[in-house]
Each structure stands twice: as structure tokens, then as C-alpha cells.
Amino acid sequence: MTMTAFNPLLLEVWREACRHIEIERSVDTFARLLDGELALDTLAIVRFDRGRGTLEVRARAGSAPAPSSVRAVRELRGPERRLIERWVAGGSESPLPFFMALLGEEEGTWYAGPLATEHGTAGALLIRARPGGTFDKRHEALVRALLEPFSAALENDRRLHELSALREAAEADKRSALSRLGREDLVDTVVGAQGGLAAVLDRVGLVARSDIPVLILGETGSGKEVVARTIHEQSGFASGPFIRVNCGAIPAELIDSELFGHERGAFTGATATRRGWFERADEGTLLLDEIGDMPLAAQVRLLRVLQEGTFERVGGEQAISVHVRVVAATHRDLPALVQAGRFREDLWYRIAGFPIVLPPLRERRQDIPALVEHFARRAAKRFGLKFQTATPHDLELLAAYEWPGNIRELGTVIDRAAILGEGERLDVAKALGVAATAVPLQRSEPELVVPSVVSTGVSPLADAMRVHIEAALRATHGRIEGPRGTATVLGINPHTLRARMRKLGVDWARFRD
């Protein structure tokens, strides 16, 4: 095999490597492109943390179960492990050779090679042959040629996560400064205090004056940050900063440094001492948004801070004490994550000291008129337009929409309607567009749907799905979430299940006891 034979393949690999997206989103594409030439079973990209001397499987694709592949990479022994340790230590002065790691019959045959960047060796590419297959010399030229585009993809992934962390830091600093200056005119306010959020604000009033951790649960875009800010403003920490940190936007290898700070020289690139978010939020409120996406290792250290109020910077030896009001928020099903072993049970009990559940917008449609007026005034101010109110017909269209994006989506639609109306009106119909699928405001009890049967004797897929979901609802007595809920029985996300039931016209309330 010559390089000419797979030049088109390399071009496709380079195109994917240069898309500047997270490498997890590209690994399946890489595996599909390479499958024909290499007959690979598993493709893994390993990142080296040179400061800590650890390995992290950054992305993988293939038919082998993930735990097996991760174990195979992390448990390399003998000369293969020593070669990786040389890569991490940067002790090799000559170009590093390929090696074939024979990890036993169960693990198969692996090809491996270093992924180098301008900062040195950053990781490794590992490719496993299909069961019963093997690699030979004719594959070596192709695998060698793949190292450069995969190195570029790994470097792009690193830079993307660094930019996300910097953006989160800048946004948090901005919010902290606005909070200290009392610039509430630039901060979203609570709309619906007398309507759909009345019960929520009652609970906010009960917990605000204490320092117990609060957990806010709600769908994406339902206003969790606004409620967290309200807790802060009504608490004894109101004179301190309010800082929001998106736990899902911080790379796993940087989350300790972001939350707890680091000392100068703690790792490569740590040229100065840096305070973490807990130190910056001292005597204030720290909102840990999307806490369900926090890595398990960081959850252990977070639990210690919540229990003892102390922590150490990365690379430091001195314990630092802080007095911070912690508010956590997530749209994920944390009890299900606990059962799956992806969220610590002891941390769940600690942060869920006082849970507050935010209803989605579709369950508080009575607040839509007030929300529309709020967003219309904001849009007029932002875009320099004359303030326009929504017509009764506009409000009917808005109330009939399902709002999967909740309050955030409504604000975007009103902004778009104000621009399309050119200051003369709110063009709500055009702003909603063809994606606005109207649903009746008052739903009557649906009749029993009997699946239609075509001449082939096979039911339509939608009817079969409806019957299957209704059978699961009947078995779970209409319960959607939780370990015995319908979503768990069917093996899908609760939000996905609700969306599918709305599309199929399934009323789960009929099945409740």
C-alpha cells in the first residue's frame, strides 16, 4: 500500500480534524472513515497530563465496551507502559517508534503512536484490530500519516476547552461586578411572582435567610439562575459577590484549578498564583450550574468544602477557609445519576438540603403575557426601538406553543419579533416560524386509540410506540421519573419521553392512581 492509495482518506481525516470542535464529537467520524482501510474495532485518543503524570482517555469509538477499552489503555504494562511514561516525562531525544501492544487474547492487538504538539507530546493514538484480525507492516505507513491530523484535533480540543473556561470566568467576573455595583437594571428579574412562580418564591423566602445549600431543579432555560440570584439578594450574603460557574463547561483536568485555584508552578503553564471561584465568592453566593456534569473526582473535593468550609489550592499545602453560600442547579435527573454511579450519593444528600423545583413554561402559561411584556421592553431598550405590546392573537399563538426551550426561548422569540416588526409591532407569527406547532390549550380526555392496520397486517410505527408507552405507563401507574418511573423502564431520558408523549397525544395523567 502506498501513500497515494489513501490520500483521499487522509484529506477527509484532516477536514474533520480542523473543524475546531470537541474531539468526542469527531471520534465516531474518524472511526467510520478509517474502518475500511484498517478494519478497526476500537479507536482511542489518550491525553497526557504532564504535570500530574496521568493518562486520560479523551475519546473513544468502536464496538468494544467502554470500560474494557479504558482499562486496556490504563493498564498497559511492560515496555509499552515504560514508553508512555517516557512520553509523559519528555525524556526521549529521538523520534519515538511505534509499538504493538499485545494485551492478551481478550484485549486484542493495538497499534499506538504519539500525538505531538508545539508543547511536546500531548497524547497517544491507539487503534485496536477487530477480533481475530491483526495489523501488519502495510498498515504502518497509514497509521503514521494519521498522527499529524489527530495531533491537530487533540490540540484544537484543548484550546476549545481553555476558551470555554476563560469565557465562563469573564462572564462570572462581569456578573460579580454588576452585583457589587447594584446594576439590577441589567439583570433579569423574576416575572410570575403572583402566578406560576408563587410557590417557588414562597420556598425561596423560607430558605434565603439560612446558609443551607439549595438545589434548584428545572429544565434548560427555565430560569434557574434568576431564582438563584433572588436567593442571594434575600440572604445575609447579599452584600457579597454572586458568581455563577458552569460545571459542564470546565474540562475535567482544569476543574480543580478553576474551583479551588492553584499555586505558581503547580503544573505546566501555572506561571502565577490564581484564586479559584470559592475564594472569589467568599462572603457571597456561588452558583454551581449544571452540577450533574461535574466529574466524580471533583465531587469528592467539593463535598469536603461543603462539609468543612476549607480547601487547598492545587499545588498548595495551606488550608484556606471560606464562608460561601452554595446554590446548585441542574436539569439532569440526579437520583438516576446516583444509581448509575455517575454522581456521589453523599454529595447528593449534601446539596439537596433544600430542593426547589422550577416548573417549565408550558406548565405556567398564565405568566406568558407578563413575560412577553418584560421581554418586549428589554428588546426595545436593547435595539433602540419603540416599545410595542403583543396583541391578543399574538398571545394566543404564544400560549399554544410548547416551549421546549422555556423562558430562554421565549426571550429569543420576542427579540426576533421586535426586530421583524421594525418597531411598528411585534411580528410574533413570523418569529415563531414554521417550527411553531400549536397545541390546544384545553385538552380533553383522549379517546382510546386503536392502532390502524394496513393491508400488510403491520401497525404504523407511531401507533406501536403509543401502545408500548401506554403499557409502560400503566405498569408504573403514570410515574415518569425515578428508579421505578416509565422513563427508567423504557431506558430513555424523562424529558425525551414527555416530548414523545406530547407528539403522540399520550396523556400520562390518565394512568396515575
Side-chain angles (χ1 to χ4, degrees):
M1 181 181 294
T2 64
M3 285 291 293
T4 307
F6 46 77
N7 268 340
L9 172 63
L10 289 178
L11 179 61
E12 291 299 319
V13 172
W14 266 111
R15 285 175 176 170
E16 183 64 26
C18 295
R19 288 180 62 196
H20 296 279
I21 62 175
E22 293 182 342
I23 205 165
E24 296 98 325
R25 295 174 56 189
S26 290
V27 68
D28 289 327
T29 303
F30 286 137
R32 175 178 54 79
L33 291 172
L34 299 175
D35 183 61
E37 291 288 346
L38 293 175
L40 59 87
D41 175 80
T42 302
L43 183 151
I45 299 171
V46 183
R47 171 180 286 164
F48 299 156
D49 187 328
R50 303 176 71 88
R52 301 179 185 177
T54 58
L55 308 176
E56 174 200 7
V57 178
R58 191 69 185 89
R60 65 163 297 280
S63 60
S68 174
S69 298
V70 172
R71 186 175 67 253
V73 175
R74 289 181 176 169
E75 295 184 1
L76 286 175
R77 293 294 184 267
E80 294 80 23
R81 180 71 188 191
R82 288 195 294 273
L83 182 56
I84 286 183
E85 290 172 349
R86 285 173 59 199
W87 291 350
V88 176
S92 177
E93 298 178 356
S94 60
L96 296 173
F98 276 81
F99 64 86
M100 297 184 67
L102 301 176
L103 303 175
E105 294 182 358
E106 294 183 358
E107 295 299 349
T109 302
W110 291 80
Y111 246 138
L115 300 179
T117 67
E118 59 184 2
H119 304 293
T121 302
L125 170 65
L126 296 102
I127 299 176
R128 189 177 81 161
R130 288 177 183 168
T134 185
F135 295 133
D136 52 42
K137 290 294 184 181
R138 63 192 181 89
H139 296 109
E140 182 171 330
L142 172 58
V143 181
R144 283 184 182 276
L146 291 173
L147 293 180
E148 191 173 0
F150 273 90
S151 298
L154 188 62
E155 179 66 8
N156 288 337
D157 178 81
R158 182 190 67 81
R159 292 179 178 179
L160 182 66
H161 281 80
E162 283 187 356
L163 288 174
S164 297
L166 290 173
R167 182 167 55 249
E168 286 293 326
E171 291 179 357
D173 283 339
K174 175 184 175 182
R175 295 188 187 96
S176 176
L178 291 175
S179 177
R180 291 179 184 276
L181 294 172
R183 296 286 300 278
E184 282 80 14
D185 58 320
L186 297 180
V187 179
D188 285 337
T189 57
V190 177
V191 179
Q194 306 301 322
L197 288 183
V200 170
L201 293 181
D202 285 344
R203 291 183 64 81
V204 168
L206 290 173
V207 75
R209 289 296 174 181
S210 69
D211 61 356
I212 185 173
V214 177
L215 176 62
I216 304 176
L217 302 167
E219 295 180 8
T220 300
S222 57
K224 297 187 288 293
E225 183 179 351
V226 175
V227 173
R229 189 180 293 278
T230 303
I231 294 174
H232 168 72
E233 293 171 349
Q234 296 182 13
S235 71
F237 298 85
S239 58
F242 175 86
I243 294 180
R244 169 187 172 269
V245 178
N246 189 335
C247 300
I250 306 176
E253 63 272 17
L254 296 178
I255 194 163
D256 281 354
S257 173
E258 292 294 318
L259 289 177
F260 311 120
H262 62 253
E263 298 289 348
R264 180 180 179 182
F267 50 85
T268 303
T271 58
T273 300
R274 181 186 182 279
R275 294 192 308 153
W277 295 122
F278 270 95
E279 280 188 82
R280 299 187 186 194
D282 193 20
E283 299 300 332
T285 301
L286 180 63
L287 170 60
L288 298 175
D289 202 4
E290 302 303 343
I291 194 171
D293 296 330
M294 179 177 285
L296 282 170
Q299 293 177 24
V300 177
R301 289 179 281 277
L302 174 62
L303 181 63
R304 178 190 172 189
V305 178
L306 296 180
Q307 290 176 336
E308 303 175 8
T310 62
F311 62 91
E312 295 177 1
R313 294 178 184 149
V314 177
E317 299 179 353
Q318 181 180 359
I320 300 174
S321 299
V322 291
H323 187 211
V324 176
R325 172 66 176 275
V326 174
V327 178
T330 184
H331 71 283
R332 295 189 178 276
D333 185 351
L334 288 187
L337 293 181
V338 170
Q339 281 199 333
R342 294 165 56 192
F343 198 86
R344 291 183 61 90
E345 187 175 14
D346 46 5
L347 179 59
W348 155 251
Y349 290 134
R350 175 66 63 173
I351 65 173
F354 197 90
I356 296 177
V357 181
L358 280 184
L361 183 56
R362 59 183 173 275
E363 295 180 7
R364 43 179 290 218
R365 299 181 191 270
Q366 69 271 30
D367 296 336
I368 288 180
L371 287 166
V372 170
E373 181 179 354
H374 169 74
F375 288 129
R377 292 188 182 279
R378 187 189 69 175
K381 183 177 180 180
R382 288 176 60 190
F383 306 134
L385 301 172
K386 183 180 178 181
F387 168 67
Q388 299 290 340
T389 59
T391 66
H393 178 66
D394 292 337
L395 294 177
E396 289 180 5
L397 290 176
L398 296 170
Y401 185 50
E402 280 294 279
W403 299 111
N406 292 292
I407 309 296
R408 184 180 296 124
E409 184 182 10
L410 175 61
T412 302
V413 167
I414 298 304
D415 285 347
R416 190 160 59 242
I419 294 173
L420 292 171
E422 299 179 348
E424 300 296 327
R425 61 192 177 92
L426 293 178
D427 198 338
V428 171
K430 189 178 293 185
L432 282 172
V434 295
T437 54
V439 295
L441 294 179
Q442 301 295 330
R443 295 187 179 183
S444 58
E445 185 75 5
E447 299 179 358
L448 180 63
V449 179
V450 180
S452 58
V453 180
V454 297
S455 57
T456 60
V458 179
S459 301
L461 180 60
D463 291 340
M465 291 174 62
R466 183 186 302 108
V467 171
H468 191 62
I469 291 174
E470 288 180 345
L473 286 167
R474 194 173 294 109
T476 58
H477 304 288
R479 185 174 182 176
I480 303 299
E481 301 189 30
R484 295 190 178 91
T486 306
T488 302
V489 171
L490 296 177
I492 63 176
N493 186 281
H495 301 315
T496 304
L497 176 60
R498 289 191 178 94
R500 192 161 297 173
M501 288 191 294
R502 286 193 296 272
K503 184 176 181 180
L504 296 173
V506 177
D507 182 8
W508 58 91
R510 294 191 296 119
F511 300 91
R512 294 176 182 166
D513 292 335

